[in-house]
Amino acid sequence: MASSMAAVMASQFISNSSYDKNGGAFSSFATMFSSRGVASLNNQTSVYDGLRSLNKMDSLGLETKTRRTLMQARRKGFCHKNYRPWGVIICGIGMKLVFVATEVAPWSKTGGLGDVLGGLPPAMAANGHRVMTISPRYDQYKDAWDTGVLVELKVGDRIETVRLFHCYKRGVDRVFVDHPLFLEKVWGKTGGKLYGPSTGIDYEENQLRFCLLCLAALEAPRVLNLNNSKYFSGLYGEDVVFIANDWHTALLPCYLKSIHKPNGIYKSAKVAFCIHNIAYQGRFAFPDFELLNLPDHFMPSFDFIDGYDKPVKGRKINWMKAGILESDCILTVSPYYAAELLSGPAKGVELDGILRKTGIIGIVNGMDVQEWNPATDKYISVNYDATTGTGKQKMEHQLEQLEVKYPNKARGIAKFNVPLAHMMLAGADFIIIPSRFEPCGLIQMQGMQDGTLPICASTGGLVDTVKEGVTGFHMGAFSVKCDAVDPVDAAAVASTVKRALKVYGTPAFHEMVQNCMAQDLSWKGPAKKWEEVLLSLGAAGSEPGIDGEEIAPLAEENVATP
Ligand SMILES: Nc1ncnc2c1ncn2[C@@H]1O[C@H](COP(=O)(O)OP(=O)(O)O[C@H]2O[C@H](CO)[C@@H](O)[C@H](O)[C@H]2O)[C@@H](O)[C@H]1O
């Protein structure tokens, strides 16, 4: 197939790839709808022999515990990576993880997908894994350098050249794929323009854009020589675990199997596919299969007919279906949502049957507790913590007066505004989340972190993360039919809000606020669960990490636009 071109062309550019750059608010409610070693000996072999006699050496010449001990010592600052007390270079432990997605916060974000790609990778790195993210370069990110590495890829009927940019932040290699299909269309880091000229309208070339991303992502671990980490250096190599996210990256396992594995490349590499929102599947006209440059035997994995019970005329291709069938394991962002996806066509959005065959694992998302920390939040004028959770008396009085003076008044701002989102969640007492479905949901966690009680629908991750009467209020599950609002659902919103208002200002309310703020909502717990799943895939060289003591400090220069 012509598609083997990518691997061949990429290898021609490896010589180019050496790279080392050192590089209470006026409304009490906020409602947001959003929807690892290389063992290298110097002349101190007697010490090495001593180690060998003390420990059972593994195939790479190091006993796991020894490696971990040294790693931990380095983390505590007891030794530097260039200090080799035992004549052993240790390049790391754990797994080599490559996350691929169309969004990665803070560089690009339209919602929770960007947040997850921003937060989970540093948490995995904190646990001792070598971690890379690959996403498009939508803008001239000022903190991401040109590696000078070019890769040629066959996309559609053309050969396209992409350039790889890189920065190293919070223990993670952030790789950005530069191509006019991304930058020339978007020129910005956030907003609906990532996917189309305006919200709800897709770019015609989206399939080609995402083919390009998947193909480039499969080259990066083999061509990028990255040396910024204290613990790791050189190429990631082939024993990696790819984590593909949502339908845009569903072709990654297909290209891995059609281009690389037949050529003996990435023999032990595995792919985990994570569903953040099954509502978006990448359904296209069947003839578009030709655009993808995949062998015909992949057709059944893509083959799809709209309308489960009443099939609609005309076959389609379905990217997410192929991603699910061709990956080594499927994850989603909460256990309850995983169960909902298996429950039937309505919640499984017609992929429930496929998921029942493959199985799916739900792990609740964490949140970035550094970005969302009311004690240090740069977007709010008065910082606070659990001991100062209450508003000023004067303002509380003004609030009461506002309600009396302007009954039934509220403000609605339909804009993507990060500072405002922080201010609303920090300033509000309640956040109403009336989701018809919610795979995990981050705003309820951001609210709880800020001491703002969620009043939420009982669906998906909201069930897993909000405890009735303890950390918030549940309204019950809503109809998933989007064409009309069910009056029963509207009544449930009203009655639950009334119930929450009765608690407002009481000792029970203050206890709930304390309960919310006392929780560890960070990525630490979820990252351990992710590690367990990814280790079980058995990519060569995969080992458990360590217990990360803390997530690395927030990078000084975090947001990156010209
Ligand atoms: N007007 C606005 N201005 C600025 N920022 C705004 C905003 N409205 C929302 N945000 C921010 O965008 C993010 C929204 O994340 P969510 O997880 O709640 O939903 P989303 O549907 O995007 O994510 C999907 O993927 C995530 C990640 O897996 C799942 O948690 C979720 O259930 C699934 O639907 C939060 O960081 C929030 O603060």
Side-chain angles (χ1 to χ4, degrees), residues 100-149:
V100 189
T102 48
E103 298 180 31
V104 55
W107 294 273
S108 53
K109 167 174 163 174
T110 66
L113 174 64
D115 285 329
V116 172
L117 268 287
L120 175 57
M124 297 303 288
N127 284 348
H129 302 287
R130 190 175 191 191
V131 187
M132 176 191 286
T133 64
I134 303 176
S135 61
R137 182 173 180 259
Y138 297 112
D139 205 349
Q140 301 196 78
Y141 304 131
K142 66 181 175 190
D143 54 356
W145 297 78
D146 183 355
T147 63
V149 177

Side-chain angles (χ1 to χ4, degrees), residues 457-524:
S458 311
T459 185
L462 296 169
V463 175
D464 290 311
T465 57
V466 178
K467 288 196 183 76
E468 167 64 40
V470 180
T471 55
F473 302 90
H474 273 273
M475 305 191 273
F478 294 156
S479 161
V480 291
K481 288 185 181 152
C482 294
D483 46 348
V485 176
D486 190 324
V488 175
D489 293 348
V493 176
S495 66
T496 316
V497 169
K498 280 181 195 158
R499 193 158 58 82
L501 279 175
K502 275 195 184 151
V503 180
Y504 180 73
T506 66
F509 175 82
H510 294 296
E511 194 180 323
M512 288 177 78
V513 170
Q514 296 294 319
N515 293 341
C516 283
M517 296 181 82
Q519 298 176 102
D520 180 0
L521 298 172
S522 76
W523 276 105
K524 207 170 175 172

Side-chain angles (χ1 to χ4, degrees), residues 95-101 113 116-117 120 124 132 214 217-218 240-254 256-257 261 268-276 320 322-332 355 358-361 363 529-539 542:
M95 293 177 279
K96 285 170 230 157
L97 306 176
V98 181
F99 289 83
V100 189
L113 174 64
V116 172
L117 268 287
L120 175 57
M124 297 303 288
M132 176 191 286
C214 293
L218 283 162
V240 297
V241 179
F242 290 98
I243 300 100
N245 294 276
D246 275 349
W247 76 268
H248 329 96
T249 54
L251 260 58
L252 190 139
C254 306
L256 182 72
K257 287 179 180 173
K261 297 231 179 202
S268 88
K270 304 289 181 201
V271 182
F273 184 70
C274 182
I275 299 172
H276 297 262
M320 189 175 267
I324 292 169
L325 287 172
E326 299 295 340
S327 297
D328 297 294
C329 85
I330 315 303
L331 295 105
T332 189
L355 286 169
T358 60
I360 183 164
I361 300 163
I363 301 177
K529 291 185 178 160
W530 267 89
E531 178 182 290
E532 203 179 306
V533 172
L534 298 180
L535 267 176
S536 74
L537 297 178
S542 288

Side-chain angles (χ1 to χ4, degrees), residues 32-35 103 109-116 246 274-277 333 365 371-372 413-422 424-425 437-446 461 523:
M32 285 199 269
F33 300 89
S34 64
S35 288
E103 298 180 31
K109 167 174 163 174
T110 66
L113 174 64
D115 285 329
V116 172
D246 275 349
C274 182
I275 299 172
H276 297 262
N277 190 343
V333 290
N365 284 333
E371 190 186 342
W372 291 89
I413 300 172
K415 271 187 184 166
F416 193 86
N417 184 327
V418 173
L420 183 61
H422 280 250
M424 283 171 71
L425 284 174
F437 64 90
E438 193 59 78
C440 177
L442 291 173
I443 54 175
Q444 81 279 13
M445 293 203 265
Q446 293 160 350
W523 276 105

Side-chain angles (χ1 to χ4, degrees), residues 252-289:
L252 190 139
C254 306
Y255 288 137
L256 182 72
K257 287 179 180 173
S258 67
I259 300 174
H260 299 86
K261 297 231 179 202
N263 289 308
I265 304 166
Y266 285 129
K267 276 195 219 158
S268 88
K270 304 289 181 201
V271 182
F273 184 70
C274 182
I275 299 172
H276 297 262
N277 190 343
I278 207 163
Y280 303 99
Q281 300 181 0
R283 299 182 185 187
F284 299 97
F286 194 81
D288 285 2
F289 181 78

